[in-house]
Amino acid sequence: MPEDPLKTLSDQITEAHTKIQQTHQDINPVVAVRRGLRDTGIPADVMTVDCLRTRKRIMLILHDEEQGMLLYQFANLDDEASDQFQRKRFSEVNVEVLVEWMEDYFSGKPLADKK
């Protein structure tokens, strides 16, 4: 039986979070898993990674209707999320990608790979 994508993503983000905290004292991401969409009938799980200092958010969505894909969006905490998400094959998402996204986006550097 294949592993639960939410568990896999949670494990990856936990490791990425630890690496960021070890190497970037100025970036202290706050990670949250939100399953509330399921309560409203939307078959998806959402994970957010927030940087309170820069007021930026990385939103990650695992949608049941898009198996094998990670939907993601770089947003601001002060703005409503848009309905425009980028997509990346879930198999291409790993700790290094997540660390790079957090380093680049939360520090204000241009993102090397948004796709």
Side-chain angles (χ1 to χ4, degrees):
M1 178 176 193
E3 191 168 336
D4 175 23
L6 182 59
K7 180 183 180 339
T8 300
L9 186 59
S10 293
D11 291 347
Q12 290 174 342
I13 204 72
T14 297
E15 187 176 339
H17 182 266
T18 300
K19 287 183 177 198
I20 287 291
Q21 287 187 313
Q22 291 171 347
T23 57
H24 298 280
Q25 278 72 39
D26 60 323
I27 301 174
N28 187 18
V30 177
V31 177
V33 176
R34 303 165 192 259
R35 297 196 71 137
L37 287 179
R38 293 197 181 278
D39 296 338
T40 64
I42 299 170
D45 297 307
V46 177
M47 184 174 293
T48 58
V49 185
D50 297 341
C51 180
L52 301 178
R53 182 183 59 81
T54 60
R55 308 289 302 154
K56 293 183 177 180
R57 167 176 283 168
I58 301 171
M59 186 177 300
L60 309 168
I61 296 182
L62 295 167
H63 200 292
D64 293 357
E65 294 175 2
E66 294 205 35
Q67 293 284 323
M69 298 298 289
L70 176 70
L71 286 68
Y72 64 99
Q73 181 180 110
F74 299 97
N76 292 307
L77 290 175
D78 300 320
D79 300 329
E80 285 290 321
S82 79
D83 59 356
Q84 301 298 311
F85 286 87
Q86 297 178 70
R87 286 161 173 75
K88 188 170 192 78
R89 291 198 179 285
F90 191 69
S91 61
E92 296 173 357
V93 176
N94 56 42
V95 172
E96 290 75 27
V97 167
L98 297 169
V99 166
E100 183 177 296
W101 284 353
M102 284 188 267
E103 283 177 335
D104 291 351
Y105 189 57
F106 294 153
S107 69
K109 296 178 192 172
L111 290 169
D113 176 23
K114 286 187 174 182
K115 294 183 179 177

